Amino acid sequence: MAKVPEIKIMRSESLGHRSDVSSPESKLGMRVEDLWDEQKPQLSPNEKLNACFESIPVSAFPLSSDSQDIEINSDTSLAEAVQTLSKLKVLSAPVVDVDAPEDASWIDRYIGIVEFPGIVVWLLHQLEPPSPRSRTVAVSNGIAHDFTSDSYRRTPRFEISGTFRWAPFLALQKENSFLTMLLLLSKYKMKSIPVVDLGEAKIESIITQSGVIHMFAECAGLHWFEDWGIKTLSEVRLPIMSKDHIIKIYEDEPVLQVFKLMRRKRIGGIHIYHDYRSITTKNFLVAVREHLEKCGDTSAPILSGVIACTKNHTLKELILMLDAEKIHRIYVVDDSGNLEGLITLRDIIARLVHEPSNYFGDFFDGVLPLPENYRV
């Protein structure tokens, strides 16, 4: 039977004051602070935050490593696209149509967003039939790459467009509000959102859930953040996902089957190793750790144990831990260490804002329909 991984409970005393008044994120937080003080006293804290975020454009969001000026041409091979994402340590990038005219609008200039999860799905479909021989696979930034596959090396991006997040191609304009952005990243389940500069007809940045959590962490100490952040998880009814809804696997299960399960259940995770038809999940995770140590990658989370919290922890403590550990989810356990649920970045953002009645109006009317072969 598989051994239960070590659970590391988050310690409150290790989460100190994080606010750096010189950081772009904290300066943005102080802008929220000024707006907070101007709100009507009869408004609830959540109503105040909604009003504050509605008054700030997304153009004010600080650029980060996740929003570098990265573009991939549509005639780039899949292998080259993966190598570019891996080298720059980003999970997604916009794809430019090389056949688009110079004066094309942004919606005609781009054909979509290439993402690592979509690449994994495509590889799974390509490698579905068992191979009579083992393939040589390279490891890079959370995904196994089969560099002996001609289809992997030569397949241009546009030929497999239905496999990736090409549509709906939903983007924000620079003047859209923070509130719109936060709602899309939470209630509408988007993990990242491109921000378009209409004047330049290009994607200026990509805002991610983790980028928003980092901004919140830099706001520790500010009144609006502390007023919200002192609430415990139980007070804000977290976790949303109970233990009965968490997908569990044994460490000796083939990792390819785990990938398929993740695809079917639409859940996220980490993907690395060679010959992933037969390798077990345990050895897969060991390979992840050894690869990161070899590369000296200190930005990735440690895989030697499971980081957890309890319902008595506050939102502030949770945000500081998620940001410090660079993780996207955290387990909730009781005082005896028994699993109670799971909290994601989206769950936290969803507890910060709420959607006013008829807020989006016709916002989604221009979203393109999903292609028939869309899988992610």
Side-chain angles (χ1 to χ4, degrees), residues 63-345:
L63 298 179
S64 66
S65 59
D66 289 337
S67 54
Q68 301 177 53
D69 188 15
I70 304 168
E71 295 181 341
I72 295 177
N73 289 336
S74 59
D75 58 356
T76 301
S77 72
L78 183 56
E80 291 170 335
V82 167
Q83 289 171 337
T84 298
L85 295 176
S86 301
K87 180 180 179 181
L88 298 173
K89 294 186 178 181
V90 294
L91 296 178
S92 62
V95 180
V96 178
D97 187 350
V98 295
D99 296 321
E102 290 186 7
D103 60 349
S105 65
W106 75 268
I107 202 165
D108 293 322
R109 184 170 186 263
Y110 297 99
I111 61 174
I113 303 288
V114 60
E115 297 178 314
F116 268 112
I119 296 173
V120 172
V121 171
W122 186 82
L123 285 174
L124 289 178
H125 279 272
Q126 295 297 309
L127 300 173
E128 202 77 87
S131 172
R133 62 185 180 87
S134 177
R135 296 175 181 264
T136 302
V137 178
V139 174
S140 181
N141 197 28
I143 178 174
H145 311 308
D146 182 355
F147 286 102
T148 67
S149 167
D150 284 342
S151 62
Y152 177 81
R153 289 199 305 268
R154 300 175 183 172
T155 302
R157 300 287 329 116
F158 64 86
E159 289 186 6
I160 50 176
S161 61
T163 307
F164 300 87
R165 185 159 66 86
W166 306 101
F169 191 81
L170 185 62
L172 291 176
Q173 297 178 22
K174 296 170 67 175
E175 61 268 22
N176 285 131
S177 73
F178 249 61
L179 179 60
T180 299
M181 177 260 289
L182 294 174
L183 288 171
L184 292 175
L185 289 174
S186 55
K187 181 177 180 179
Y188 291 91
K189 302 181 180 180
M190 295 184 67
K191 292 188 176 181
S192 62
I193 308 175
V195 179
V196 175
D197 184 332
L198 294 181
E200 296 292 330
K202 65 177 295 184
I203 293 176
E204 182 178 79
S205 63
I206 296 179
I207 299 177
T208 64
Q209 291 178 344
S210 57
V212 170
I213 292 297
H214 176 65
M215 188 205 83
F216 291 161
E218 290 295 307
C219 294
L222 296 176
H223 179 249
W224 69 267
F225 179 84
E226 296 295 332
D227 188 81
W228 173 73
I230 59 172
K231 297 178 181 178
T232 64
L233 302 184
S234 58
E235 288 178 314
V236 296
R237 298 189 301 279
L238 287 177
I240 298 173
M241 183 181 293
S242 69
K243 62 180 180 181
D244 296 329
H245 292 91
I246 296 176
I247 308 299
K248 309 174 185 68
I249 54 116
Y250 289 103
E251 63 182 20
D252 57 355
E253 290 188 49
V255 75
L256 179 57
Q257 298 305 316
V258 176
F259 287 166
K260 291 180 179 179
L261 178 64
M262 291 167 60
R263 181 186 65 194
R264 189 168 68 251
K265 297 292 184 179
R266 296 180 179 275
I267 55 177
I270 302 177
H271 320 281
I272 300 181
Y273 208 65
H274 67 84
D275 193 11
Y276 39 84
R277 290 187 186 85
S278 59
I279 195 67
T280 67
T281 305
K282 177 182 178 180
N283 288 334
F284 171 87
L285 291 175
V286 170
V288 175
R289 183 168 60 248
E290 291 177 348
H291 172 70
L292 295 177
E293 291 174 350
K294 180 180 178 180
C295 295
D297 190 346
T298 59
S299 64
I302 298 174
L303 300 172
S304 57
V306 176
I307 299 176
C309 65
T310 70
K311 290 182 178 180
N312 293 325
H313 280 95
T314 65
L315 285 167
K316 174 183 176 179
E317 291 169 340
L318 193 62
I319 287 171
L320 293 180
M321 173 58 72
L322 289 167
D323 183 54
E325 296 293 335
K326 300 295 184 290
I327 53 179
H328 291 189
R329 56 188 60 81
I330 191 168
Y331 292 96
V332 182
V333 298
D334 61 21
D335 293 337
S336 300
N338 300 310
L339 183 64
E340 289 193 321
L342 177 72
I343 297 176
T344 65
L345 303 185

